[in-house]
Amino acid sequence: MQIIRHSEQTLKTALISKNPVLVSQYEKLDAGEQRLMNEAFQPASDLFGPITLHSPSDWITSHPEAPQDFEQFFSDPYRKTPSPDKRSIYIQSIGSLGNTRLISEEYIKWLTGYCKAYFYGLRVKLLEPVPVSATRCSFRKPENAFCVVEITMIDLYPRDSWNFVSGQASDRWYSFFCFARYGSDFYSMRHEGKVKKLKKTSSSDYSIFDNCYIPEITSVLLFRSCKTLTHEIGHIFGLRHCQWLACLMQGSNHLEEADRRPLNLCPTCLHKLQCAIGFRIALVRWIDDESSGTPGATPEHSREGNGNLLKPVEAFKEWKEWIIKCLAILQK
């Protein structure tokens, strides 16, 4: 295992810059915000750790990129910032996301709520879901959209040289996500004998995907989905892959590496997002705000009649504790 450690001065420059204008801007931030982000270059801090590489196939090793500090982000003429008339993130599901209609609807609501809490201050809206067979139709971006994201359980890959992709920001306003491989049984499923008769279909016939594999919506799948969703939307804001500290914006080349990546942004990337939309931590409320199903119930045992399922947030426990530590620093 290789640990990537940067000097305190390197991390401080990446976070604040040496540009006097940006230094002055940073010093005008709320004192609590500065305390939290200054943890980036505090040797004794246990909030933000270094990046660890476990194999040559990890992203930083296999996809060399120039790092992006705050000054480079701030000076990027192409970065996208929400405006008063474009402050909405639209989410649309393609095909079913759960084994029942209720589970599918609740899952997309949980993702929407998480997105609202993570990008606090932006509106997050749902577009009408569409079947896979309808994806050949043209798509029109809502006028007030900051970005549009599409979510599916269909396994995807962008080109023949890739084996799959979990998420990709295709341009400055559009992203898509596939969460099929986040299911615990994806790699153990066996399909021998399920096809009784071969059927020739044209390359434009998408209806064959309408009854594809759909994983069980577990706490781990929700955790992984939230991580990919916010990572890719971060790219739409102009945040590139992080190479400073362990961070949500690290690239990942495989599921094991994606699981090591934290849900939180490092201070440098947090400063970038703060510059774009302001600063407020509302995620503890999202974790605690479990739907009013039967106490201790799972999606399979909750009462479908009341239209609510218990949000599976067990996988978020350690991260909630981390957020509470951050809040303590902010409110000190």
Side-chain angles (χ1 to χ4, degrees):
M1 182 177 73
Q2 178 186 353
I3 300 177
I4 299 177
R5 294 189 186 277
H6 299 287
S7 68
E8 293 176 39
Q9 186 57 50
T10 297
L11 291 172
K12 186 174 183 178
T13 302
L15 171 67
I16 304 173
S17 165
K18 292 183 178 180
N19 184 321
V21 174
L22 296 183
V23 171
S24 176
Q25 176 181 303
Y26 185 82
E27 292 172 346
K28 292 177 183 177
L29 294 176
D30 176 85
E33 296 175 12
Q34 290 188 53
R35 277 197 303 272
L36 178 60
M37 290 192 277
N38 286 350
E39 290 284 313
F41 47 86
Q42 304 300 326
S45 174
D46 63 348
L47 287 177
F48 303 102
I51 295 173
T52 59
L53 303 180
H54 291 242
S55 76
S57 64
D58 283 359
W59 184 273
I60 288 180
T61 305
S62 58
H63 295 78
E65 299 173 274
Q68 180 197 49
D69 58 23
F70 177 76
E71 183 174 353
Q72 290 169 317
F73 168 83
F74 185 83
S75 305
D76 182 357
Y78 301 106
R79 74 179 175 90
K80 188 171 182 178
T81 303
S83 60
D85 60 337
K86 291 187 183 295
R87 296 188 63 82
S88 296
I89 296 173
Y90 282 88
I91 298 178
Q92 184 173 48
S93 59
I94 300 176
S96 179
L97 302 179
N99 290 315
T100 69
R101 178 189 58 79
L102 178 60
I103 293 175
S104 186
E105 291 176 354
E106 288 294 293
Y107 173 61
I108 198 73
K109 288 178 185 176
W110 295 333
L111 291 177
T112 300
Y114 183 85
C115 200
K116 285 180 180 177
Y118 209 100
F119 301 106
Y120 194 86
L122 296 188
R123 293 179 292 270
V124 182
K125 302 179 180 180
L126 286 175
L127 293 172
E128 284 295 318
V130 296
V132 180
S133 55
T135 55
R136 289 171 293 170
C137 61
S138 60
F139 181 79
R140 189 168 294 172
K141 176 186 174 185
E143 291 185 0
N144 65 341
F146 171 71
C147 67
V148 176
V149 298
E150 307 274 358
I151 297 172
T152 186
M153 289 299 180
I154 305 296
D155 204 33
L156 302 174
Y157 63 99
R159 60 184 70 92
D160 288 341
S161 59
W162 291 55
N163 52 0
F164 73 95
V165 67
S166 295
Q168 192 168 48
S170 59
D171 58 25
R172 291 287 175 172
W173 67 270
Y174 178 78
S175 279
F176 64 87
F177 312 98
C178 168
F179 298 144
R181 291 177 184 248
Y182 291 166
S184 59
D185 59 347
F186 181 88
Y187 291 98
S188 62
M189 291 286 286
R190 294 290 180 268
H191 303 281
E192 294 92 340
K194 291 191 176 183
V195 177
K196 303 299 182 184
K197 184 178 180 180
L198 292 178
K199 179 183 177 182
K200 290 185 178 181
T201 59
S202 70
S203 59
S204 61
D205 182 7
Y206 288 77
S207 64
I208 61 172
F209 294 108
D210 284 340
N211 295 306
C212 69
Y213 158 82
I214 298 175
E216 178 187 358
I217 305 301
T218 64
S219 180
V220 171
L221 185 141
L222 181 61
F223 186 86
R224 290 168 170 170
S225 302
C226 288
K227 191 183 292 188
T228 298
L229 176 70
T230 45
H231 173 96
E232 296 300 336
I233 294 177
H235 283 318
I236 294 177
F237 277 100
L239 279 71
R240 298 208 296 266
H241 285 133
C242 181
Q243 299 184 50
W244 305 111
L245 293 164
C247 177
L248 172 78
M249 292 309 299
Q250 284 174 242
S252 63
N253 213 26
H254 46 81
L255 186 58
E256 180 185 355
E257 185 178 21
D259 282 344
R260 291 198 303 268
R261 184 174 62 187
L263 271 173
N264 60 276
L265 296 169
C266 76
T268 297
C269 292
L270 186 60
H271 190 195
K272 297 171 187 177
L273 188 62
Q274 191 274 344
C275 173
I277 63 173
F279 193 101
R280 185 159 179 185
I281 297 178
L283 287 159
V284 171
R285 184 184 306 168
W286 178 86
I287 296 172
D288 288 340
D289 183 25
E290 297 183 356
S291 298
S292 55
T294 305
T298 62
E300 294 80 11
H301 298 100
S302 296
R303 292 170 294 170
E304 294 201 10
N306 65 11
N308 287 309
L309 298 175
L310 193 66
K311 187 191 301 176
V313 293
E314 297 85 3
F316 294 82
K317 182 181 178 181
E318 289 186 12
W319 193 55
K320 177 183 174 181
E321 294 171 356
W322 181 90
I323 295 174
I324 291 172
K325 290 181 182 179
C326 292
L327 289 172
I329 292 175
L330 283 168
Q331 299 164 0
K332 188 180 295 183

